[in-house]
Amino acid sequence: MISYIFLGLFFIAAVLNVIGAREWNGRLFTVTKPMLMALLCLYVIFRGLPSPDLLLAAALITCWLGDILLLFKGDLWFAVGGISFFVGHVLIILVFAREVDTGSLPLAVLIPAALLYCAASGAVMLSARKKAPRIMRLPMLLYLLCNAVTNLFTLTRLIVSPGIWTAASFAGAVLFFLSDCALFLARYGAGPARFFKTNVFVMTTYILGVSLIVLGLVQAGV
């Protein structure tokens, strides 16, 4: 029961965070952002007792740290926060890798999907190449490709074990990828302002993405 209290508090904090982002309420946004992954992590731990998924919890902790680091301004903090999220993606990949038989991958679907994600990542970096610091361009691309690998693992899980929760995790991974692409474009992208270059879009897709990944894993009993 207590796990669902933490989940409910997470969604309350999520709504307040998006409101803070939309209304440019810096205090509301700053206060609620560190609560998001912390509450989701507590949900994972208490929902999984007596044997919680510590690997998934660790991934959420790295995302929580990344959220805090990104609150600070400047390219250095952005880079350090990105490293934290990169570690989080690696841990999430390991979580999904436990459920995937690498000997029977659906390559007919994964190869076109991988090419699509690579093209999207390349397009984002092409747009961001002029404003992004030179030293950060390759790491940013590698980060998006790591995010894409997360998507490919969730897609594999969905194909092998189709269902509402595997679909939820895949949808969450797609949203997480979109959030990161939008974040890079909002910060460094060329061209005029667009709806997807806003803090509201970045945070909404990020919050929905991570929550769907987690719910798809926890509710499926992974």
Side-chain angles (χ1 to χ4, degrees), residues 77-130:
W77 291 110
F78 187 78
V80 175
I83 292 172
S84 185
F85 274 107
F86 182 89
V87 174
H89 275 293
V90 172
L91 294 176
I92 293 174
I93 289 169
L94 293 176
V95 171
F96 284 105
R98 299 179 306 194
E99 303 301 311
V100 173
D101 180 7
T102 56
S104 57
L105 295 176
L107 297 180
V109 176
L110 291 182
I111 291 176
L115 292 175
L116 180 62
Y117 280 108
C118 287
S121 301
V124 169
M125 292 311 303
L126 187 64
S127 177
R129 72 187 187 282
K130 291 184 178 180

Side-chain angles (χ1 to χ4, degrees), residues 1 14 18 26 40 47 69 75 82 108 118 127 129 145 169 180 215-216:
M1 179 63 182
V18 173
L40 204 55
R47 182 69 173 81
L69 292 171
D75 290 331
C118 287
S127 177
R129 72 187 187 282
L145 294 177
S169 285
D180 283 332
L215 288 173

Side-chain angles (χ1 to χ4, degrees), residues 14 44 65 70 91 93 117 124 136 152 166 214 222:
V44 168
L65 180 59
L70 291 183
L91 294 176
I93 289 169
Y117 280 108
V124 169
M136 290 176 57
L152 295 177
T166 53
V214 169
V222 176

Side-chain angles (χ1 to χ4, degrees), residues 21 44 106 131 170 183 209:
V44 168
K131 293 184 179 180
F170 175 63
L183 176 61

Side-chain angles (χ1 to χ4, degrees), residues 14-100:
V15 171
L16 293 175
N17 183 263
V18 173
I19 291 173
R22 182 176 182 179
E23 301 298 332
W24 297 102
N25 188 325
R27 179 173 297 179
L28 181 60
F29 180 81
T30 302
V31 169
T32 55
K33 193 178 183 185
M35 296 180 181
L36 298 172
M37 295 303 108
L39 289 168
L40 204 55
C41 183
L42 289 171
Y43 164 72
V44 168
I45 291 173
F46 281 91
R47 182 69 173 81
L49 290 177
S51 301
D53 190 337
L54 297 180
L55 192 59
L56 179 57
L60 293 173
I61 290 173
T62 60
C63 292
W64 168 78
L65 180 59
D67 280 340
I68 293 176
L69 292 171
L70 291 183
L71 288 173
F72 297 95
K73 297 184 182 298
D75 290 331
L76 176 61
W77 291 110
F78 187 78
V80 175
I83 292 172
S84 185
F85 274 107
F86 182 89
V87 174
H89 275 293
V90 172
L91 294 176
I92 293 174
I93 289 169
L94 293 176
V95 171
F96 284 105
R98 299 179 306 194
E99 303 301 311
V100 173

